[in-house]
Amino acid sequence: MKRNSTLLFFISLWIGNLSLKIGVYNFIHLKTRLDLIEPGLTIRSEFGLTMIQCATSCAEDLRCVSLSYSRTTQSCKLFDVIYDSDENGNVDYWIVTNGSSRSVPKTCPEVASCSGITTDGEYWIYPTATNGRRTKIYCHNLDSVPVHYVTLKNTNRFIGHSYTNLAVLEQCRSDFKAPLPNVDFVKIQINIEDMKINGTDYTFASPSGSYLKYGHTEDCNGAADRNPCPRFGNATIDTGGTGLIFDPTSVFGKTDGNSFAAIKDFSRSSDGTRIFFWCAGWCGKCGPTSGPLQLKSANEFSEIMVLFLNKNEFLFVLNMN
């Protein structure tokens, strides 16, 4: 099925952020490596075409959501899925930006079903939970029962100060018995329908002496109100480079109800990508108290303000664009 080819075609080119417009279809130019776009899985390959003719072919094909074009060989390859992009690549790659009118994949199973891909890896998909915003998702077990992950660019480490370092009679210890248990996460599993994370999935994590949940920590060094008293259990959440942040309305605080416990020195970066806090208690556990952490597109938020609910909990209020 093809659209009426009598559309008035016109081109708009801007150097730098290069874009192309064919009729009502916008194409954004990216650079990528040839091995990232799996050229063998094209829906159509043509040769001897100009870039405009290649884009026109894509605009006329309801399945086409991206294309690669080689000016050297004048080869045009059309795809029904969005592939990864790499600014260090050497292949011209274009995507249709108004993808809502196309059959763009919303989940990893759709990546597999619409393209025939069975190789685990990073793919651009358009989850309903992010209002169709293009989101980089790692598809795991793509050849069987796909599972969705977000790949973390920076270290996300959760360090616990457990009962093996318990301060006797609520007193404070000046040091701790090494090593402290910790968990490093490289990827976090998400439910693609609502972008909520599964904090107990350790498929791409490295537990060392502990299975702390993602976003959680604990401390056993004296009551929270004892001051000065060093704290050792801490949490580092960092989604920088993923295009995602955790819902700014998430509340963090003590999670075990211990009257000696409290969160300490909570901080969040101005762009919302980095969260850090210490935990205090005898023994105390700290983490999100408003339910499972939920990822949002960073583009949804323009400003984040911190409100103090009480000495133990923090609430983020957001202004929408």
Side-chain angles (χ1 to χ4, degrees), residues 5-264:
S5 60
T6 60
L7 289 171
L8 175 63
F9 297 125
F10 59 94
I11 307 171
S12 298
L13 294 172
W14 293 273
I15 303 301
N17 183 21
L18 190 62
S19 64
L20 171 71
K21 193 165 186 178
I22 301 291
V24 295
Y25 298 99
N26 296 301
F27 296 82
I28 297 297
H29 180 232
L30 304 170
K31 297 291 287 185
T32 192
R33 304 195 315 268
L34 186 63
D35 62 310
L36 291 180
I37 59 174
E38 302 201 35
L41 295 174
T42 58
I43 57 175
R44 190 194 312 169
S45 296
E46 299 180 67
F47 295 90
L49 300 182
T50 65
M51 173 59 212
I52 299 173
Q53 290 171 327
C54 183
T56 300
S57 295
C58 181
E60 292 179 338
D61 193 319
L62 285 171
R63 300 168 297 166
C64 181
V65 294
S66 67
L67 62 90
S68 66
Y69 180 76
S70 170
R71 289 182 172 83
T72 303
T73 62
Q74 291 186 314
S75 64
C76 171
K77 298 181 183 298
L78 308 185
F79 305 96
D80 59 357
V81 66
I82 307 293
Y83 290 107
D84 196 359
S85 63
D86 183 346
E87 290 304 318
N88 297 320
N90 54 13
V91 176
D92 288 328
Y93 182 67
W94 301 71
I95 63 172
V96 183
T97 58
N98 53 338
S100 60
S101 63
R102 305 279 177 148
S103 298
V104 294
K106 298 180 176 64
T107 66
C108 289
E110 288 186 11
V111 169
S113 64
C114 74
S115 66
I117 296 172
T118 58
T119 305
D120 290 3
E122 305 279 350
Y123 297 97
W124 290 116
I125 68 173
Y126 294 72
T128 302
T130 63
N131 296 319
R133 288 180 171 87
R134 189 169 63 121
T135 305
K136 182 68 67 62
I137 297 295
Y138 182 85
C139 296
H140 183 54
N141 290 335
L142 202 53
D143 62 344
S144 54
V145 182
V147 185
H148 302 80
Y149 289 86
V150 170
T151 299
L152 302 167
K153 307 296 184 182
N154 305 307
T155 299
N156 281 235
R157 174 171 291 181
F158 306 95
I159 300 174
H161 179 260
S162 61
Y163 286 97
T164 57
N165 282 283
L166 179 65
V168 180
L169 298 178
E170 199 185 334
Q171 300 302 310
C172 292
R173 298 168 63 107
S174 60
D175 57 8
F176 56 85
K177 179 182 178 182
L180 291 180
N182 64 83
V183 184
D184 288 352
F185 285 83
V186 177
K187 303 179 192 295
I188 46 177
Q189 184 188 340
I190 62 167
N191 177 10
I192 199 64
E193 282 73 29
D194 57 15
M195 297 298 285
K196 291 181 179 179
I197 74 163
N198 176 3
T200 59
D201 180 279
Y202 303 100
T203 304
F204 297 99
S206 301
S208 178
S210 176
Y211 281 86
L212 288 165
K213 294 181 182 180
Y214 183 92
H216 292 252
T217 186
E218 61 183 350
D219 187 85
C220 286
N221 199 37
D225 59 1
R226 185 174 290 276
N227 194 23
C229 184
R231 305 301 170 186
F232 304 113
N234 62 80
T236 300
I237 296 172
D238 193 334
T239 60
T242 66
L244 300 165
I245 63 173
F246 284 110
D247 188 343
T249 63
S250 299
V251 179
F252 290 79
K254 63 179 181 181
T255 59
D256 67 351
N258 189 325
S259 61
F260 297 105
I263 201 167
K264 292 285 187 178

